Amino acid sequence: MNSNRKKVVIVGAGVIGAAIAYHLSQRDGIAVTLLERDIPGAGASGHSFAWANAFGKDPRDYHTLNRRSLDMWYRLAHQLDADIGIHYGGEMRWENDPQRATQLRQRIQQIQMWGYPCRLITRDEMLTLEPHLHPGTVVAASFSDADIHVETDRFIGVCLQRACERGAVVHQQTSVTGFVIRNGSVAAVKTTDAEFPCDVVVLASGVQTTELASLAQAHIPQQRSPGIVIKTTPCATVLHNVAVIHAAPTDENHQHLHLRQLADGSLRIGQGTQEGINRDDSQQHADALLTRAKAYLPAIGDAKAIPTPVGYRPMPLDGFPVIGFTEAVQNLYIALMHSGVTLAPLVGEMATVEIADSARVDWFAPYRPERFR
Ligand SMILES: Cc1cc2nc3c(=O)[nH]c(=O)nc-3n(C[C@H](O)[C@H](O)[C@H](O)COP(=O)(O)OP(=O)(O)OC[C@H]3O[C@@H](n4cnc5c(N)ncnc54)[C@H](O)[C@@H]3O)c2cc1C
């Protein structure tokens, strides 16, 4: 009965592989197998700050891609119909320095023109949104209504559960080691345990995508992008309304601080931008970030900082997503990107349209693998 179904093997169970597995498994004619060398979420997805947004995304096409996907989170949450760890409430940020305040005002003006639901707010409005915040000096502040954050382990777990309910098979602790290539196509995926015959292979393997693609003679270059998001022990609710805050640096020796709170009360805290390079996974660094966060939110109280290992962002060489079939091997589909938490709903759904219906989605035209030819 299953022999006529298109066999799709997905390599990697992060947010991208999980979203694609969910959407593909909703199609009757597709048999989905997902191979994960570790446990689901072990890669960048489990180390992410997981703020879904289009705030700092440039140029406009890329902003629009992220914006579309951000808006799709709401529908995906409805379809999955389970607790996927989505936190609504928007993002609030502020600046205490006149130069950076000017940049913030200009950014808000720019993305408002692009139709992004955001606005400048007063200090009073900030405190109405978050009464327990101690922001210090505020020269300019903004609020972006549509932004959310996501608990990636919950999201991945629900996608895989829904996929398995539709017959998908997930193999954990199964590392892909190569491909059997016949007549320019992948005929089977080799792993440490077995070979998996396939009609299509999706590489959603994060930073390992480059190495795996090279085994099939496809060139998908990346840059190294280490980052740190620390965890804390659970504490009282410190963010009552907004999902994410970006706090101004306390002085010129520090970067912006970003913070979100999970359902269990624990916090995730990072510094700098969403692409900032950081390799310091020491307890000392974790303690320092938490101390700075407590200055803005004293209600954090006795929470303890838990250092987390460096996370490596999947980061294509030019910083933009790589999505689509390769020229080198016609049935090898690449899904490699930074901002994968923001982009997962759109990539999951539209990659499915490309794989299941053989359509070519125009939105992905700037992001095809052959630009690295
Ligand atoms: C510090 C940090 C902060 C970030 N902040 C944000 C943010 O605020 N907002 C946002 O949108 N994005 C953010 N990102 C980026 C985002 O997390 C990633 O783009 C996203 O998680 C990528 O998901 P993925 O599924 O493509 O890759 P991954 O989550 O890395 O998953 C790839 C999976 O493939 C598996 N794999 C690899 N090789 C093999 C193999 N040979 N065989 C089988 N399995 C294999 C890995 O074990 C892994 O589980 C951040 C990332 C980091 C590290």
Side-chain angles (χ1 to χ4, degrees):
M1 174 189 137
N2 288 342
S3 57
N4 292 331
R5 293 164 78 200
K6 191 186 265 188
K7 291 188 280 298
V8 181
V9 175
I10 301 169
V11 186
V15 287
I16 297 297
I20 296 173
Y22 164 69
H23 280 288
L24 277 173
S25 66
Q26 305 308 301
R27 300 298 194 94
D28 283 348
I30 308 275
V32 176
T33 302
L34 194 148
L35 307 175
E36 166 55 53
R37 70 174 182 180
D38 200 314
I39 56 165
S45 301
H47 294 80
S48 183
F49 187 62
W51 166 40
N53 74 98
F55 186 90
K57 311 292 169 68
D58 283 310
R60 185 174 180 165
D61 268 2
Y62 183 56
H63 170 87
T64 304
L65 190 81
N66 281 270
R67 170 68 194 283
R68 283 192 171 115
S69 194
L70 174 60
D71 291 347
M72 288 165 82
W73 265 108
Y74 297 77
R75 178 160 56 89
L76 182 55
H78 174 72
Q79 287 168 339
L80 287 168
D81 193 23
D83 178 6
I84 58 166
I86 193 164
H87 295 253
Y88 302 102
E91 184 255 17
M92 182 167 74
R93 62 175 57 211
W94 69 95
E95 298 292 358
N96 53 16
D97 160 271
Q99 198 183 340
R100 285 196 304 265
T102 301
Q103 287 165 356
L104 176 59
R105 289 188 200 101
Q106 286 169 347
R107 183 66 192 164
I108 294 297
Q109 204 175 19
Q110 172 71 84
I111 56 180
Q112 280 183 333
M113 278 170 57
W114 291 348
Y116 201 58
C118 64
R119 63 182 192 276
L120 293 169
I121 57 173
T122 64
R123 186 193 173 87
D124 284 350
E125 286 174 283
M126 287 174 70
L127 296 178
T128 303
L129 280 167
E130 288 302 341
H132 297 113
L133 189 67
H134 291 222
T137 304
V138 177
V139 183
S142 69
F143 178 60
S144 302
D145 226 335
D147 296 11
I148 59 172
H149 78 83
V150 182
E151 299 190 28
T152 52
D153 52 348
R154 287 183 193 233
F155 170 67
I156 292 168
V158 171
C159 282
L160 299 188
Q161 185 191 334
R162 292 284 180 261
C164 291
E165 286 163 5
R166 293 272 304 166
V169 181
V170 178
H171 296 268
Q172 300 186 32
Q173 312 288 346
T174 302
S175 190
V176 171
T177 53
F179 306 103
V180 177
I181 297 184
R182 277 191 215 112
N183 304 323
S185 293
V186 182
V189 177
K190 295 184 198 171
T191 73
T192 36
D193 302 327
E195 281 187 11
F196 293 85
C198 61
D199 298 306
V200 173
V201 183
V202 179
L203 291 186
S205 327
V207 292
Q208 278 79 35
T209 299
T210 299
E211 191 185 325
L212 288 173
S214 74
L215 299 175
Q217 313 304 323
H219 180 52
I220 310 293
Q222 282 189 71
Q223 46 179 305
R224 252 173 123 67
S225 183
I228 297 276
V229 176
I230 69 145
K231 301 178 181 175
T232 72
T233 54
C235 63
T237 304
V238 292
L239 293 181
H240 293 269
N241 293 302
V242 304
V244 172
I245 62 167
H246 277 78
T250 40
D251 57 59
E252 69 255 19
N253 298 319
H254 290 115
Q255 302 176 335
H256 290 82
L257 199 76
H258 39 270
L259 183 145
R260 64 187 179 107
Q261 188 162 33
L262 278 59
D264 68 0
S266 66
L267 304 171
R268 298 292 180 272
I269 308 171
Q271 67 174 5
T273 66
Q274 211 184 312
E275 290 80 30
I277 302 294
N278 191 352
R279 293 183 181 83
D280 189 350
D281 58 2
S282 66
Q283 180 74 52
Q284 196 184 15
H285 175 69
D287 289 341
L289 283 188
L290 181 57
T291 302
R292 284 171 55 204
K294 283 180 183 174
Y296 299 116
L297 289 161
I300 288 172
D302 296 332
K304 302 274 181 294
I306 304 170
T308 50
V310 178
Y312 288 90
R313 301 177 186 90
M315 188 63 85
L317 196 59
D318 58 7
F320 295 108
V322 187
I323 307 171
F325 286 104
T326 64
E327 284 182 331
V329 178
Q330 57 200 18
N331 64 344
L332 181 67
Y333 194 92
I334 307 291
L336 171 72
M337 70 213 70
H338 177 51
S339 287
V341 178
T342 305
L343 292 169
L346 183 144
V347 171
E349 192 162 34
M350 291 300 121
T352 293
V353 164
E354 296 206 316
I355 294 164
D357 304 327
S358 305
R360 291 294 166 265
V361 176
D362 275 353
W363 297 346
F364 294 158
Y367 310 115
R368 296 304 189 189
E370 55 265 23
R371 72 181 186 274
F372 297 114
R373 192 187 287 139

